Amino acid sequence: MMKNFTLILFLTLQYFSVHSQSIQQQKWNNSSCGTLSFFEDSLLLHIKENTFHISDPNVKEVDISIKMYANYYDMLLDDIQMKDHNGIYVSGGMYSIQVTANGQKIDFQKDIKVSYISDGTDHYNGFQYNTQDKKWDSLNAPILDYATTNSTSEDWGALKPRESYLAEGFSDESDDWDADWSSWAEGSSNSDWLYKTMNIKGNGLYNYDYLIGKDELITYQLKIENKNINKVYAYYPHLNTVIYYTVNSDNIVDDFVLVDASLSNVRLFTFNPLTDKGQAEIGEMSKSELLQLSKEKLNSIKFKTTIVPLSKASLDEKFASL
């Protein structure tokens, strides 16, 4: 099953945009009910009226900012951990949402339904990132597929903003919000577009994730000879995920695991962003070093560091040679 999923994911990742750290912001009247489009319909917010709690009665509008995470570079720059006690997470679409009024974050009074361009697979569940504990919390709700319309792009990462539009026929008192949205979507255009949809309850970072559980991972013992390295990263190009491991005071990585024993599917490196210089310090293993899969064998490895420009193009080139 894992091999089949890997093949499906590899093919669907061709839809991801080459653009990184893309952010769009739009205003929303809190008394409105309808749909707000970001990234040329790649992500839709279905919002009920008076969804946001605004303490100042004179303020009617909120600012909604969406940040898209399309690839390893986005995850790397924001130091997002794609591994926790449950296993390794493979992203099928990640975004953060911040809603503010007068520059202050505000609370949600009602759920927002978020629709994200779907690849048609059903492996994903919804998660919210717990920044305090560096882990992903399950939303404990199914990810539903919706056939909707008006998409003008065949690309997951289209970056031209599209004018927001309001969906007629929504009612805040409706007992079936899903039916309201689905009914409107089916009748508004001749061409359908498939989205995976989740409900969210507040600001934060959200992900449509496939979880590679602990029983599918292979454990290694790892010791880092470099005294100044505090994190080791593993990037899986075919899975669209990058994870990091913390190096303890004894230069040991306690929880180092890989998805499989084939090192051809992973890039191991260290990463230290020198953002004030627009550069990054990348550490690579010697090509003569091989990790030994053994409960008794302690792999002692040393990384050779080089300085490269802090850009996705530069890191792509660097990782291709690892």
Side-chain angles (χ1 to χ4, degrees):
M1 177 179 175
M2 184 62 200
K3 289 183 178 179
N4 291 337
F5 173 73
T6 299
L7 176 60
I8 293 172
L9 184 60
F10 177 78
L11 294 174
T12 58
L13 287 179
Q14 306 310 307
Y15 290 98
F16 275 114
S17 167
V18 296
H19 300 277
S20 300
Q21 296 282 284
S22 305
I23 302 174
Q24 285 187 2
Q25 181 173 300
Q26 298 189 52
K27 292 188 178 296
W28 179 261
N29 190 316
N30 197 35
S31 63
S32 299
C33 175
T35 297
L36 193 58
S37 168
F38 288 84
F39 302 99
E40 205 170 64
D41 294 344
S42 291
L43 185 143
L44 307 174
L45 302 182
H46 314 305
I47 309 173
K48 300 178 184 180
E49 63 184 66
N50 299 317
T51 287
F52 308 109
H53 175 68
I54 304 176
S55 56
D56 187 345
N58 296 317
V59 176
K60 305 299 181 185
E61 285 190 331
V62 298
D63 292 304
I64 302 179
S65 177
I66 299 291
K67 184 174 184 178
M68 298 283 269
Y69 295 79
N71 48 52
Y72 80 92
Y73 185 71
D74 299 339
M75 302 173 197
L76 197 58
L77 287 193
D78 279 7
D79 199 34
I80 298 172
Q81 178 59 296
M82 298 297 290
K83 174 185 176 296
D84 60 21
H85 64 283
N86 291 314
I88 290 175
Y89 295 84
V90 178
S91 176
M94 189 188 311
Y95 65 91
S96 68
I97 179 171
Q98 297 294 339
V99 183
T100 60
N102 288 338
Q104 301 295 319
K105 290 183 183 180
I106 58 175
D107 296 328
F108 291 23
Q109 297 181 138
K110 303 172 184 177
D111 290 0
I112 288 181
K113 187 177 295 297
V114 182
S115 292
Y116 193 102
I117 291 292
S118 176
D119 49 29
T121 63
D122 60 358
H123 294 284
Y124 299 111
N125 292 305
F127 294 86
Q128 182 176 8
Y129 192 53
N130 185 322
T131 55
Q132 181 175 351
D133 296 333
K134 297 288 186 180
K135 68 182 185 69
W136 290 94
D137 293 333
S138 174
L139 297 181
N140 295 316
I143 297 299
L144 303 176
D145 280 344
Y146 284 88
T148 186
T149 56
N150 283 347
S151 179
T152 59
S153 171
E154 296 178 357
D155 181 330
W156 281 32
L159 298 179
K160 293 181 181 178
R162 178 184 173 90
E163 285 187 14
S164 62
Y165 50 88
L166 296 181
E168 297 178 1
F170 286 117
S171 170
D172 191 39
E173 287 75 34
S174 171
D175 292 328
D176 193 350
W177 172 253
D178 292 350
D180 283 347
W181 161 243
S182 182
S183 174
W184 174 83
E186 289 173 1
S188 61
S189 174
N190 293 325
S191 61
D192 288 340
W193 198 250
L194 188 66
Y195 289 84
K196 48 179 177 273
T197 302
M198 66 167 71
N199 288 341
I200 64 172
K201 302 177 183 294
N203 291 311
L205 177 65
Y206 293 89
N207 205 350
Y208 301 87
D209 271 326
Y210 170 78
L211 179 63
I212 301 176
K214 292 184 291 186
D215 57 339
E216 300 178 72
L217 303 177
I218 301 173
T219 302
Y220 295 79
Q221 291 192 63
L222 200 64
K223 181 175 182 178
I224 310 302
E225 294 184 14
N226 309 63
K227 302 296 184 182
N228 60 334
I229 290 177
N230 54 28
K231 285 182 182 178
V232 174
Y233 293 80
Y235 165 44
Y236 295 88
H238 66 305
L239 294 179
N240 195 45
T241 197
V242 60
I243 61 180
Y244 65 79
Y245 300 90
T246 302
V247 182
N248 67 23
S249 58
D250 295 321
N251 294 94
I252 300 291
V253 178
D254 291 321
D255 58 344
F256 189 77
V257 295
L258 293 178
V259 171
D260 56 49
S262 173
L263 296 183
S264 62
N265 291 331
V266 63
R267 307 288 186 266
L268 299 178
F269 63 99
T270 65
F271 175 72
N272 178 30
L274 309 172
T275 51
D276 57 330
K277 300 178 181 179
Q279 298 176 320
E281 187 179 62
I282 302 294
E284 60 181 295
M285 293 172 52
S286 168
K287 288 183 169 56
S288 63
E289 291 185 277
L290 295 176
L291 294 181
Q292 301 296 318
L293 175 59
S294 170
K295 293 183 179 179
E296 294 76 28
K297 172 68 176 179
L298 179 64
N299 294 276
S300 294
I301 62 174
K302 185 177 179 63
F303 289 91
K304 179 182 178 180
T305 59
T306 56
I307 303 295
V308 300
L310 186 57
S311 69
K312 185 175 183 296
S314 296
L315 294 187
D316 283 347
E317 183 178 353
K318 182 66 178 178
F319 292 156
S321 67
L322 296 184

